Structure formats: structure tokens, C-alpha cells
Amino acid sequence: MKAYTMTRKYPLAVLAATLLPLSMLIAAQAQAQSDCERGVLADLYCDENGDMVADRPADESEWLNPDTLIFAYTPVEDPAIYSDIWQPFIDHLQEVTGRDVRFFAVQSNSAQVEAMRSGRLHIAGFSTGPTPFAVNLAGAVPFALMGSDDGRFGYTLQLYTHVDSGIDEMEDLKGKRVAHTSPTSNSGNQAPRALFPEMGIVPDEDYEVVYSGSHDQSMLGVVAQDYDAAPVASEVVERMAARGLYDPADVKIIYESDSFPTTSYNYAYNLHPDLVEKIEEAFFSFEFAGTELGEEFEGVEKFVPINYQDNWKVIRTIQNANGVQYTPDNLE
């Protein structure tokens, strides 16, 4: 993995050496606080106000106020590309907070959650499906999404197939080989498993599920006809098309869902409140227009405020329907 900074590379080897498997970290560091309410949060955290995210520690000595902030974007696509795309925002975040800000390129949801859980990642964009894992296992606090000036946000699950596949409707998926992205992905796995049975198609029973590893790999596999079909996130394939990574004429959509929330932007639960205020100020004052970030996320005009309890309810419902439990072993 590479890590990119404003002027130099972050010593990722040092960072990686401090990261243990998440289950080991929890066992080694977390002692159950039996005297607090926590819902389904890991034992290290409390949720006395019932908002479903970890409370800031009561002991001020446990508040983090680092001189260097580490920021990571979801590992959905090529991290090298996104380190450059995010640079205008990194510059803005540094200016507003008065801290050095470094981009940490992660290549798996598990590594990203582990980094925040270990205290080595302070601000992060987590994909839709992994967000509840970050909240419950790593003390992530979702506070923003990318949206429009009127506050709208969201993406859809789109089911693609090749134009020459002979698949025209859901019923045609029977007996086929369909690429899901990864077990924790919302649009790439969890939502199809919750929604497709209502249309008479049960993944793993009516068609063979093959995990591709990412939305872009699923889409490129459909284009190459390595897979018969693939459920993917609309926002990802739209960006792929804009970069010329595939020809939209080669594929067709046979199903599209209602909207889901997009990538959540989070800060670690134990950051100093004054620092959190500056982080939120940086997000909500950033102007996308005229930046590489604005060009990449077409139609996005600003970060909009959200909260996990309300905006992730549909995702938790889907995951509950799939029997998902927020444990390190289930985070892939």
C-alpha cells in the first residue's frame, strides 16, 4: 500500500507495524464497561444518550488532539488515483484545522476499520455497508455525506449484464454466475440478498455468487463477460464511465433500487471536541466547484450533515435481514 501526503509519503511501514488484527486489538485493549449502556457497540464504548454511536470519553485525559491528522477514503477503487483527487480537500482541511493532514491509502474495509480502532486513523470515509462495522467496532462517528445544494444525497443498486448476455429480466439470472463485490458491501452484496428474493431470485440458490472484490472489478468482469451479471453501486460505475474505463454501450441495466446513503464521513469518537468542531467546519465549508474532487463526483456540490441513527436505518434493516452481526470476523 502507498500513503500520500501533501509534500511527502507517510511512513506506512511504521503505521502498519502498529496494526494488529481487529479481534486481537479488542481482546488486548478493550475492557468491558459493564456500568454503561452501549446497544451493539463493542465493549470499549458507551452510548448513554442512545444515538447508536460511541460517546466521547468522560475522562478528558482520553481525548485525542494530534498535531497530524490521518485521513482515509473508502478502498472501493484505485487509492493512487484518489490521493490526487482528494488533495484540494486535504489542503482545505489542513488550513481550517491548522494541523498537518496526511492521506492514508487503504485497500480493504478491514484494514480501514482496524486503523481507526487502533487510534491511527482520525477521519475517514467508510463505504455504505461497512459504516455500521466502523461505528460499532472502531468508534467511528458519521457526520457528513456528499450531496447537492438542496441537501439531497444517495446512490442506487444497479444490476448490470452484458448487452449480448441474453439476460433481460431478473428471472433470467437463474443458473447464472453473478459477481457480488464483498460480504459487507451494501449494494454489492447485502442489498441484493435482502431485495432480490422479493423478486423471486435468491442469491446462492438461484444463481452462483462469485465475490469480485470491488465494484469496478465486478463491472469490468461483466464487460469482459467473465460474469453473467453484477449488482454494483451507481456512483462507482458512473465515475468509471466518465474516466473511460468501459463503454456504456456494452452493458445494460436490468434492475435499479431506490436510493441508499452514500459513503459516510466520520471522525474518531475520542477526538477533542475543539478539533471535531474544526473538522466539521472544514467539511461543511469546502467548495467542490472547480476542484478535481468536484469533477470526479459529478453532481455533488457540498458535504451535507447527517446522523447515523436516522440515515443508516435502511442499511441496518438490510443487514439485519441478512443476519449480519457486527464482529471482526464478519468484516471482510
Side-chain angles (χ1 to χ4, degrees):
M1 292 189 294
K2 293 181 180 180
Y4 299 85
T5 74
M6 297 185 61
T7 57
R8 60 190 181 279
K9 292 184 178 180
Y10 185 70
L12 186 57
V14 175
L15 174 63
T18 68
L19 299 181
L20 298 172
L22 190 55
S23 57
M24 293 178 63
L25 279 167
I26 290 176
Q29 298 177 359
Q31 293 184 342
Q33 303 178 57
S34 59
D35 59 344
C36 75
E37 296 292 333
R38 64 173 53 85
V40 296
L41 296 178
D43 286 347
L44 182 62
Y45 313 113
C46 291
D47 178 24
E48 295 289 5
N49 62 4
D51 63 358
M52 304 185 77
V53 299
D55 299 336
R56 183 175 291 114
D59 185 348
E60 294 186 16
S61 67
E62 297 180 20
W63 295 352
L64 296 182
N65 201 9
D67 292 330
T68 298
L69 296 174
I70 309 300
F71 171 81
Y73 180 58
T74 172
V76 169
E77 294 163 80
D78 186 350
I81 293 175
Y82 278 88
S83 67
D84 295 331
I85 289 172
W86 276 98
Q87 194 60 52
F89 175 77
I90 297 296
D91 294 342
H92 179 70
L93 181 60
Q94 176 166 272
E95 180 179 356
V96 174
T97 62
R99 314 295 171 95
D100 185 24
V101 180
R102 304 183 182 185
F103 188 93
F104 174 28
V106 295
Q107 295 181 335
S108 75
N109 296 315
S110 180
Q112 190 180 24
V113 171
E114 286 181 15
M116 182 164 281
R117 171 63 182 77
S118 69
R120 300 292 175 172
L121 178 60
H122 309 116
I123 311 167
F126 288 103
S127 297
T128 303
T131 289
F133 286 86
V135 167
N136 289 289
L137 298 178
V141 180
F143 69 95
L145 290 177
M146 290 181 179
S148 62
D149 278 337
D150 61 7
R152 289 181 293 110
F153 55 82
Y155 73 101
T156 62
L157 179 169
Q158 295 177 331
L159 183 63
Y160 279 90
T161 186
H162 195 275
V163 291
D164 298 326
S165 68
I167 299 173
D168 297 310
E169 56 187 29
M170 295 296 292
E171 181 74 14
D172 298 332
L173 293 177
K174 290 186 176 180
K176 302 299 185 180
R177 191 167 181 262
V178 179
H180 286 206
T181 58
S182 62
T184 59
S185 173
N186 179 60
S187 57
N189 185 59
Q190 294 290 331
R193 290 184 182 277
L195 300 177
F196 287 4
E198 297 177 356
M199 294 175 279
I201 295 296
V202 180
D204 281 325
E205 293 183 14
D206 292 314
Y207 64 73
E208 178 188 359
V209 172
V210 181
Y211 287 113
S212 69
S214 68
H215 293 268
D216 53 329
Q217 290 177 29
S218 287
M219 197 62 184
L220 294 176
V222 167
V223 172
Q225 296 184 278
D226 294 329
Y227 309 124
D228 295 307
V232 291
S234 60
E235 59 177 357
V236 176
V237 295
E238 288 166 4
R239 293 198 297 270
M240 291 177 65
R243 292 203 301 271
L245 297 180
Y246 76 95
D247 184 349
D250 291 336
V251 297
K252 61 184 177 182
I253 299 174
I254 61 172
Y255 168 78
E256 185 168 18
S257 73
D258 293 333
S259 293
F260 303 119
T262 58
T263 296
S264 66
Y265 293 89
N266 305 251
Y267 56 80
Y269 82 107
N270 55 350
L271 293 185
H272 193 288
D274 292 343
L275 177 56
V276 168
E277 183 178 353
K278 287 295 185 181
I279 291 170
E280 291 182 337
E281 177 186 341
F283 272 81
F284 298 134
S285 64
F286 180 73
E287 296 182 0
F288 280 77
T291 69
E292 290 183 80
L293 200 61
E295 293 175 3
E296 177 68 10
F297 294 92
E298 187 176 354
V300 169
E301 295 158 316
K302 65 179 183 180
F303 287 102
V304 298
I306 54 95
N307 71 79
Y308 174 73
Q309 186 171 27
D310 295 335
N311 297 113
W312 251 256
K313 182 177 180 179
V314 62
I315 305 305
R316 295 194 304 272
T317 299
I318 289 172
Q319 293 179 340
N320 182 63
N322 286 304
V324 173
Q325 294 184 333
Y326 303 123
T327 66
D329 291 341
N330 289 332
L331 178 61
E332 298 180 25

